[in-house]
């Protein structure tokens, strides 16, 4: 009988260490059940001591690739006898690191973000790695409790926490019903402006479901045709209580609405806020230049003053040297005449 992920996790007494909250183990057992016996590819952001990669290797015996990424340079020392496991060392949000991961495996069936848990990193990682998730794949974000903490760029109802981001994505699942001309990309991009990442090229229309449990968010990906409401289907014949008209139009009217206008304005404010540090840096650079020019100008004024004084002194001594012989000559001429 196949052991549960929890049994596999708890039974390990050697190998590299890992720690997970107990509720995650039961959650993963349920969520990953259909994939346990498949040739899956797994990516975990945040490896630490390396043990969780061994847990995934045991939990998915037919897994093809299990890739871990960690920013801690010490992780290069992690060595695995299982050839399916490999590690990339670096910041998961860096494009070069994404390229290194994609070079190892073009598509993952499970992606687990157990990295820094800072809202910025969580949202950037999603923008980077959701495109690498396979159709039917699961994107898991661990330790979302950190999104309620200020030190992790979060807070209850803080509009740019990672949890607020995934709540916003739940609206995208229902984007076809929006009576608004706001696009899903535009709605997501407000977070992009805040965290300097782009959702251009992120297949937001492939978000099939978003499940929140205590501290974990799981986003499933399906082809966009699976994410549409579809057509209304009838069954039976007697519609004596309420007449059924399967051809009735129910599509929303796409038009400007006050809330999307507000959301756009909010986006503009966020963009302005996001550019504040850059503007502050620019002002500081200009102020430093003004200070340096002022110092140069004072030095020039002092030099001009010094030269003026020298000129006056020179003038005085020169005129003395010239007038003295002239006066002598004049007295000679006078004496000769008389
Ligand atoms: C909670 S630990 C991971 C634990 C591991 N997944 C386990 O289950 O045993 C978080 C790890 O994320 C790594 N990390 C933090 N920021 C990161 C980033 N931007 N990119 C990659 N790894 C990061 C840290 O170095 C740390 O080792």
């Amino acid at each position: 009988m196949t052991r549960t992920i929890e049994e596999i996790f708890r039974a390990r007494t050697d190998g590299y260490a890992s720690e997970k909250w107990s509720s995650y183990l039961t959650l993963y057992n349920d969520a990953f059940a259909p994939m346990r016996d498949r040739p899956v590819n797994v990516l975990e952001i945040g490896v630490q001591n390396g043990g969780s990669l061994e847990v995934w290797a045991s939990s998915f015996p037919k897994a093809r690739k299990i890739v871990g990424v960690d920013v801690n340079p010490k992780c290069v020392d992690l060595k695995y006898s299982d050839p399916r496991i490999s590690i990339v060392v670096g910041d998961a949000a860096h494009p070069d690191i994404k390229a290194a991961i994609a070079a190892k495996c073009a598509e993952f069936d499970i992606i687990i973000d157990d990295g820094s848990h800072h809202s910025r990193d969580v949202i950037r990682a999603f923008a980077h790695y959701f495109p690498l998730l396979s159709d039917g794949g699961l994107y898991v974000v661990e330790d979302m409790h950190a999104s309620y903490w200020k030190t992790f760029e979060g807070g209850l109802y803080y509009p740019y926490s990672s949890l607020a981001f995934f709540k916003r994505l739940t609206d995208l699942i229902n984007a076809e019903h929006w009576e608004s001309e706001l696009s899903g990309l535009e709605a997501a991009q407000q977070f992009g402006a805040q965290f300097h990442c782009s959702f251009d090229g992120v297949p937001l229309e492939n978000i099939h479901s978003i499940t929140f449990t205590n501290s974990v968010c799981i986003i499933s990906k399906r082809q966009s045709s699976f994410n549409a409401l579809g057509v209304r289907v009838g069954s039976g014949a007697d519609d004596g209580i309420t007449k059924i008209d399967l051809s009735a139009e129910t599509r929303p009217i796409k038009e400007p609405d006050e809330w999307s206008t507000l959301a756009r304005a909010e986006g503009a404010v966020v963009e302005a806020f996001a550019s504040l540090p850059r503007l502050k840096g620019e002002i500081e650079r200009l102020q430093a230049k003004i200070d340096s020019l002022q110092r140069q100008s004072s030095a020039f004024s002092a030099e001009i003053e010094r030269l003026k004084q020298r000129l006056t002194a020179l003038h005085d001594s020169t005129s003395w040297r010239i007038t003295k012989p002239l006066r002598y000559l004049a007295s000679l001429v006078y004496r000769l005449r008389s």
Side-chain angles (χ1 to χ4, degrees):
M1 206 180 80
T2 313
R3 289 186 302 162
T4 65
I5 292 179
E6 186 167 10
E7 282 165 349
I8 291 170
F9 194 92
R10 289 184 189 273
R12 293 176 71 247
T13 49
D14 54 13
Y16 291 128
S18 170
E19 53 165 345
K20 298 257 185 224
W21 297 100
S22 59
S23 59
Y24 298 180
L25 300 175
T26 44
L27 176 68
Y28 291 165
N29 203 55
D30 293 344
F32 299 158
M35 300 196 206
R36 293 282 304 277
D37 207 28
R38 291 205 202 138
V40 291
N41 296 315
V42 181
L43 169 66
E44 185 163 26
I45 301 166
V47 163
Q48 206 174 47
N49 292 302
S52 52
L53 300 184
E54 292 177 331
V55 172
W56 305 134
S58 305
S59 302
F60 300 99
K62 293 185 185 159
R64 278 193 294 235
K65 296 215 169 124
I66 295 164
V67 181
V69 54
D70 203 293
V71 76
N72 187 342
K74 285 186 188 164
C75 288
V76 281
D77 296 335
L78 295 169
K79 305 286 176 226
Y80 296 91
S81 55
D82 188 330
R84 300 173 301 164
I85 306 177
S86 64
I87 288 189
V88 174
V89 175
D91 179 358
H94 195 284
D96 291 349
I97 298 302
K98 181 191 172 181
I101 291 169
K104 282 184 180 289
C105 180
E107 209 174 56
F108 293 95
D109 304 289
I110 295 173
I111 298 177
I112 300 163
D113 182 354
D114 189 19
S116 79
H117 310 306
H118 284 255
S119 294
R120 172 183 309 261
D121 287 338
V122 172
I123 294 167
R124 281 181 177 179
F126 182 82
H128 267 70
Y129 297 104
F130 188 69
L132 296 190
L133 193 68
S134 66
D135 180 32
L138 297 177
Y139 191 101
V140 181
V141 188
E142 283 191 6
D143 291 0
M144 298 259 350
H145 43 252
S147 79
Y148 293 106
W149 302 338
K150 282 197 187 80
T151 44
F152 285 76
E153 295 163 309
L156 180 65
Y157 304 133
Y158 174 59
Y160 298 104
S161 72
S162 53
L163 198 70
F165 171 71
F166 291 113
K167 282 188 205 167
R168 175 72 63 95
L169 293 189
T170 56
D171 285 327
L172 262 63
I173 296 173
N174 292 294
E176 73 175 286
H177 312 294
W178 292 0
E179 282 198 322
S180 164
E181 28 153 60
L182 195 74
S183 73
L185 179 61
E186 222 180 319
Q189 202 50 53
Q190 285 164 19
F191 288 83
Q194 172 81 354
F195 295 117
H196 305 288
C197 61
S198 170
F199 291 94
D200 262 341
V202 179
L204 298 168
E205 67 284 359
N206 292 148
I207 295 173
H208 179 68
S209 69
I210 302 180
T211 316
F212 293 99
T213 49
N214 190 336
S215 300
V216 177
C217 178
I218 301 184
I219 303 104
S220 74
K221 187 174 180 181
R222 297 294 306 270
Q223 284 170 22
S224 51
S225 55
F226 285 98
N227 306 329
L229 187 60
V231 293
R232 281 193 298 163
V233 184
S235 177
D238 186 350
D239 59 356
I241 308 283
T242 304
K243 210 90 204 112
I244 287 178
D245 176 7
L246 293 177
S247 65
E249 187 60 79
T250 56
R251 254 176 297 181
I253 311 133
K254 300 284 180 192
E255 60 183 355
D257 68 299
E258 55 193 334
W259 296 110
S260 61
T261 308
L262 193 72
R264 276 198 182 122
E266 189 187 308
V269 170
V270 168
E271 269 180 52
F273 264 105
S275 62
L276 277 184
R278 189 181 52 75
L279 289 175
K280 199 168 160 254
E282 187 74 359
I283 289 168
E284 279 167 3
R285 201 181 58 76
L286 287 172
Q287 188 58 55
K289 206 166 173 187
I290 289 168
D291 290 348
S292 145
L293 286 172
Q294 267 172 352
R295 275 195 301 276
Q296 273 183 34
S297 152
S298 315
F300 281 143
S301 302
E303 182 67 6
I304 287 167
E305 193 52 42
R306 200 180 61 76
L307 287 172
K308 260 192 199 163
Q309 283 172 7
R310 228 181 119 194
L311 210 62
T312 313
L314 206 66
H315 174 265
D316 290 352
S317 70
T318 315
S319 62
W320 173 246
R321 258 185 256 136
I322 292 169
T323 52
K324 198 177 168 190
L326 278 179
R327 269 199 231 127
Y328 176 68
L329 268 176
S331 71
L332 261 183
V333 171
Y334 179 74
R335 260 190 274 153
L336 281 172
R337 273 193 184 163
S338 55

